[in-house]
């Protein structure tokens, strides 16, 4: 349920509503907007008993949220949420471009890739330390040593860093070394992990599951938010379809749907969708044109020799070229880079 305040409602009116909710054992999510302030009721509204909030001063109306997700819904925060990571903001005018290798492989490799993506103009650095590989015999990542190297490369370049965790027990180390956590496609519905990340408060990229609907994805975001962490950025990375020419099928249509239904920022991962480096730019441009708030792209200083996902990683030159073009197209969509 959300409470819509009147256009001329004062701060006192809003504070009174929040206080009354609190007196009844309920929380409030206040979203000031240019038109009207929205107060989301957190908890079971049955606790209000016979109290009719609509009769309170400054209240225009009370409206139920029809989705199973509440905090993640657009209704709860019509202006859209912003997620800040060390001064960089997801969901604002500026497009966020995260670049970096699939995996941290060794110090030389992550350093060279980091310097390259920084020089190209990336806003953040990525690099996997815990790799969720399809086969148990594939490279599983450098784990905590990888996190330390990623941090080192981030500090050397001034880039904030993001890395995936695949289990709760990795959260403590991740909190020490990264600025943002990634929950990968394979763990989108790992609800225990989502809850722990929710409790941590650390900004998180939540990728869409390989075979999950948008509704399931937003419910997964709700798991994180319901634990108090509103710093969630969604990431469309392609879904499994009958098509095999690309690794996954980028669901570009998910971007406007998410923008309509949810207040959360959304970025595109064209790399895991394409599976092949030569298709990555086209998907990246499509994502931006559809309204995405940014990109997360796999980039390797020596892409052909990469230990994982070699075929889809961009060279530093290709990444720089991609960013140049994104800079040119951004103003058409009211954005900058
Ligand atoms: C990744 O970004 O390294 C990754 C494994 O992506 P996804 O979870 O989308 O497959
Ligand atoms: Mn990868």
């Amino acid at each position: 349920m959300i409470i819509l305040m009147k256009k001329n409602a004062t701060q006192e009116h809003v504070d009174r509503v929040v206080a009354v909710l609190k007196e009844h054992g309920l929380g409030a999510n206040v979203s000031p907007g240019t038109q009207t302030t929205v107060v989301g009721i957190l908890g079971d509204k049955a606790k209000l008993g016979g109290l009719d909030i609509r009769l309170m001063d400054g209240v225009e109306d009370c409206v139920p949220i029809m989705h199973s997700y509440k905090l993640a819904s657009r209704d709860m925060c019509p202006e859209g949420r912003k997620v800040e990571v060390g001064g960089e903001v997801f969901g604002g005018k500026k497009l966020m471009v995260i670049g970096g290798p699939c995996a941290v492989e060794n110090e030389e490799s992550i350093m060279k890739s980091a310097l390259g993506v920084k020089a190209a103009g990336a806003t953040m650095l990525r690099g996997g330390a815990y790799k969720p590989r399809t086969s148990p015999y594939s490279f599983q990542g450098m784990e905590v040593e990888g996190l330390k190297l990623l941090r080192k490369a981030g500090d050397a370049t001034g880039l904030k860093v993001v890395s995936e965790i695949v289990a709760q027990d990795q959260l403590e180390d991740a909190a020490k070394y990264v600025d943002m956590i990634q929950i990968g496609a394979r763990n989108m519905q790992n609800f225990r992990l989502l809850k722990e990340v929710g409790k941590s408060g650390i900004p998180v990229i939540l990728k869409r599951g390989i075979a999950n609907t948008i509704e399931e994805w937003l419910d997964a975001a709700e798991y994180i938010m319901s634990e108090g962490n509103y710093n969630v950025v969604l990431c469309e990375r392609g879904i499994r379809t009958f098509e095999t020419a690309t690794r996954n099928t980028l669901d570009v249509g998910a971007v406007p749907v998410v923008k309509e239904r949810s207040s959360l920022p959304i970025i595109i991962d064209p790399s895991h969708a394409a599976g092949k480096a030569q298709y990555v730019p086209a998907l990246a441009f499509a994502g931006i044109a559809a309204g995405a708030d940014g990109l997360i792209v796999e980039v390797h200083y020596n892409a052909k020799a990469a230990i994982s996902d070699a075929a889809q990683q961009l060279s530093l030159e290709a990444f720089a070229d991609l960013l140049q073009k994104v800079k040119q197209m951004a103003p058409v969509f009211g954005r900058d880079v």
Side-chain angles (χ1 to χ4, degrees):
M1 179 96 102
I2 52 170
I3 302 162
L4 302 174
M5 301 302 293
K6 286 195 167 120
K7 277 198 181 77
N8 61 358
T10 62
Q11 187 60 44
E12 284 71 45
H13 290 145
V14 176
D15 292 347
R16 185 73 201 120
V17 166
V18 172
V20 165
L21 291 177
K22 204 167 166 204
E23 280 161 21
H24 288 80
L26 294 162
N29 178 82
V30 181
S31 251
T34 46
Q35 295 298 315
T36 173
T37 295
V38 174
V39 182
I41 302 180
L42 307 181
D44 184 358
K45 66 176 190 311
K47 285 186 181 167
L48 289 171
L51 181 72
D52 189 349
I53 296 275
R54 283 173 301 186
L55 301 178
M56 288 184 70
D57 288 342
V59 173
E60 177 74 39
D61 204 2
C62 292
V63 188
I65 296 180
M66 302 317 262
H67 303 290
S68 50
Y69 49 88
K70 312 287 179 197
L71 291 162
S73 72
R74 175 62 68 173
D75 305 322
M76 189 69 101
C77 186
E79 300 287 300
R81 294 185 190 274
K82 291 190 168 52
V83 174
E84 200 214 303
V85 181
E88 298 288 357
V89 178
F90 291 82
K93 189 174 184 211
K94 183 177 170 188
L95 294 172
M96 301 297 285
V97 182
I98 306 169
C102 178
V104 179
E105 299 169 346
N106 54 60
E107 183 163 352
E108 186 197 5
S109 162
I110 186 65
M111 240 1 137
K112 285 187 172 166
S113 297
L115 289 167
V117 300
K118 168 75 181 180
T123 24
M124 274 179 73
L125 176 67
R126 64 153 286 153
Y130 302 98
K131 293 306 301 174
R133 304 307 298 283
T134 303
S135 162
Y137 307 119
S138 303
F139 174 55
Q140 302 287 307
M142 291 182 74
E143 307 197 331
V144 70
E145 289 312 310
L147 292 180
K148 289 181 187 168
L149 291 179
L150 183 68
R151 177 78 269 156
K152 206 170 167 185
D155 289 345
T157 52
L159 293 170
K160 299 294 166 206
V161 301
V162 56
S163 200
E164 176 168 358
I165 60 166
V166 295
Q168 290 93 296
D169 61 2
Q170 296 154 357
L171 193 52
E172 207 180 310
D173 282 328
K176 272 192 229 155
Y177 300 112
V178 305
D179 304 294
M180 192 173 201
I181 286 169
Q182 177 176 307
I183 302 285
R186 291 158 190 81
N187 272 311
M188 190 206 84
Q189 286 189 311
N190 183 338
F191 299 121
R192 286 284 294 275
L193 180 59
L194 298 177
K195 282 187 173 196
E196 291 306 315
V197 169
K199 284 183 197 135
S200 79
I202 302 171
V204 51
I205 291 177
L206 177 65
K207 288 193 153 194
R208 181 177 180 181
I210 290 167
N212 285 108
T213 64
I214 294 169
E215 293 290 300
E216 288 163 344
W217 188 17
L218 296 177
D219 278 330
E222 189 77 12
Y223 264 92
I224 300 171
M225 298 177 82
S226 64
E227 297 292 336
N229 186 356
Y230 296 176
N231 300 310
V232 181
V233 174
L234 300 167
C235 176
E236 163 62 42
R237 45 78 74 207
I239 49 176
R240 179 158 293 182
T241 68
F242 52 80
E243 185 54 71
T244 54
T246 48
R247 183 175 178 184
N248 292 285
T249 299
L250 184 72
D251 184 6
V252 185
V255 178
V257 173
V258 162
K259 284 282 172 198
E260 184 178 75
R261 296 186 191 177
S262 174
S263 54
L264 296 173
I266 175 171
I267 61 172
I268 290 286
D269 174 350
S271 307
H272 290 86
K276 293 194 179 102
Q278 66 269 32
Y279 305 145
V280 167
L283 300 189
F285 303 145
I288 300 296
D293 297 297
L295 302 168
I296 181 166
V297 184
E298 287 195 342
V299 189
H300 194 290
Y301 88 101
N302 185 13
K304 289 200 172 53
I307 300 177
S308 56
D309 286 349
Q312 72 192 30
Q313 301 206 55
L314 294 188
S315 65
L316 294 176
E317 297 70 37
F319 181 63
D321 185 62
L322 168 71
L323 256 165
Q324 265 317 107
K325 291 182 174 133
V326 168
K327 272 196 186 108
Q328 284 170 27
M329 70 183 287
V332 177
F333 301 96
R335 315 298 290 248
D336 51 46
V337 187

